Amino acid sequence: MRMDISLIGDMFSIKHSVDYHVEKEDYHVHGDYEILFPVFGSVSFCAESHHYNLQPGMIMVIPPGVRHRYDKKNKNIYERMVLLMKPPFFLKLQELSGFENGAELDTEQLIQIDSVSFEKLYGVLTELEHSLKSEDYSESPLGQAYLMQVLIFLNHEYLKLEHPKESSQCAGTFSRIAQIRQFIDQNLCENLSLEDVANQFNISKFYLAHEFKKAYQISLHQYIRRQRLKVAGQYLCRSGSVNGAFVVSGFTDYANFSKAFKQEFGCSPREYRKNFLGKE
């Protein structure tokens, strides 16, 4: 399965792709600045000698001349948007937007954002994509305005990384239970029984059940079910098939998936897709 939308101009281009299989590739370099936005799924990525497991919320800024590649075969559905900008154009926007890590950037920069910020940024990128489909966007003031908005947003997130809050204010951010929640979010297609997750973190399953419920006011099983259904709903909203939603959500039985989806959203996956997209 593949969806690939490319909009190419003189100064910048945007590409929106969905792959079911991402093959390992040779290193390559660009003469442009590349900003990579994972939208759905995860993928193994390498820039120079640094390895990353990219997923939504992890934005990679790659300057000209930095070698990069997808460094192993990936069997999960992977959706991403990629911006390529010519150096003069990027530096012009950088100056106008105040993007601080552009001119002196000589290696890749990973910027991590939370889920709320991700949805906001994805909204801006979607508006950019829609505006460029309907205009000669190489000269589009609206397209350039959206690009500036993207850079301003990334600059804000970059400065947050450069000037983090005092550790005492963030003491609970990477607590054990928060790490477990992150592990679950990144491995929804794996076996996530209470016992398996507890073994992964070398803790008692009774302790895990109690502490997770205490932290999030929901049982671990209910949280996993809700996250899997959330992934399925997001996939359907992005024109994915019902069968694809079943696969990416991590359910192992279609009947259970369909029943749980209807309980959560009040309609079947097919009806949900039709209501959102206006098509079967």
Side-chain angles (χ1 to χ4, degrees):
M1 183 188 77
R2 181 175 178 84
M3 176 187 78
D4 197 339
I5 300 172
S6 298
L7 299 165
I8 303 172
D10 294 334
M11 290 292 100
F12 71 95
S13 64
I14 182 171
K15 185 175 183 179
H16 190 174
S17 300
V18 180
D19 284 294
Y20 186 74
H21 294 290
V22 176
E23 299 291 339
K24 180 177 179 178
E25 60 185 9
D26 293 331
Y27 277 108
H28 62 279
V29 297
H30 299 296
D32 303 329
Y33 284 89
E34 176 177 352
I35 305 180
L36 174 59
F37 304 87
V39 175
F40 188 92
S42 62
V43 71
S44 181
F45 184 83
C46 187
E48 297 295 350
S49 60
H50 305 131
H51 294 264
Y52 305 90
N53 181 36
L54 294 182
Q55 55 194 292
M58 300 174 68
I59 301 163
M60 186 69 69
V61 182
I62 306 169
V66 171
R67 301 183 312 147
H68 56 282
R69 68 176 182 177
Y70 294 110
D71 68 342
K72 67 180 181 180
K73 187 172 183 178
N74 180 74
K75 295 184 178 180
N76 298 316
I77 291 177
Y78 172 55
E79 178 181 358
R80 73 275 194 191
M81 300 180 79
V82 179
L83 284 173
L84 289 172
M85 288 179 268
K86 299 294 183 184
F89 183 75
F90 179 87
L91 295 177
K92 174 186 174 183
L93 289 180
Q94 174 229 341
E95 181 181 357
L96 293 173
S97 66
F99 186 60
E100 293 196 357
N101 66 336
E104 299 177 359
L105 189 64
D106 58 4
T107 187
E108 78 280 359
Q109 173 68 55
L110 179 66
I111 301 175
Q112 299 191 57
I113 60 178
D114 59 35
S115 59
V116 174
S117 297
F118 168 78
E119 291 299 332
K120 290 180 180 178
L121 182 57
Y122 180 69
V124 175
L125 290 169
T126 301
E127 290 296 327
L128 170 63
E129 185 179 9
H130 288 167
S131 72
L132 301 185
K133 287 179 182 178
S134 59
E135 299 187 39
D136 177 12
Y137 73 88
S138 61
E139 300 296 333
S140 166
L142 181 59
Q144 293 186 30
Y146 280 127
L147 280 173
M148 283 186 59
Q149 191 172 346
V150 169
L151 291 183
I152 290 170
F153 182 95
L154 291 179
N155 186 55
H156 175 72
E157 297 299 322
Y158 174 72
L159 291 177
K160 284 165 60 177
L161 292 176
E162 288 293 288
H163 307 288
K165 296 178 181 179
E166 295 297 326
S167 58
S168 61
Q169 294 177 296
C170 302
T173 302
F174 296 105
S175 68
R176 176 63 63 87
I177 296 300
Q179 291 177 34
I180 291 172
R181 180 177 177 178
Q182 185 179 59
F183 171 79
I184 290 169
D185 290 345
Q186 295 175 2
N187 294 276
L188 289 172
C189 287
E190 304 298 327
N191 187 348
L192 294 175
S193 70
L194 179 64
E195 185 172 2
D196 286 328
V197 176
N199 288 340
Q200 177 72 27
F201 287 87
N202 196 30
I203 58 177
S204 160
K205 64 180 183 180
F206 302 106
Y207 172 83
L208 170 58
H210 178 267
E211 291 300 311
F212 196 94
K213 182 71 175 288
K214 178 181 176 181
Y216 300 114
Q217 291 76 55
I218 187 174
S219 73
L220 184 123
H221 173 74
Q222 290 172 324
Y223 178 79
I224 293 170
R225 178 178 177 271
R226 181 175 294 176
Q227 290 302 98
R228 284 173 168 166
L229 292 171
K230 178 181 176 181
V231 165
Q234 290 174 339
Y235 184 76
L236 292 172
C237 290
R238 291 171 182 148
S239 299
S241 68
V242 173
N243 188 59
F246 164 63
V247 172
V248 302
S249 65
F251 280 85
T252 56
D253 181 85
Y254 185 84
N256 288 338
F257 162 68
S258 183
K259 181 179 179 181
F261 193 97
K262 192 166 185 178
Q263 289 175 342
E264 181 74 14
F265 296 104
C267 61
S268 70
R270 191 173 303 279
E271 291 169 335
Y272 183 88
R273 185 179 189 275
K274 182 179 179 181
N275 292 339
F276 189 87
L277 299 175
K279 59 184 179 181
E280 295 287 348

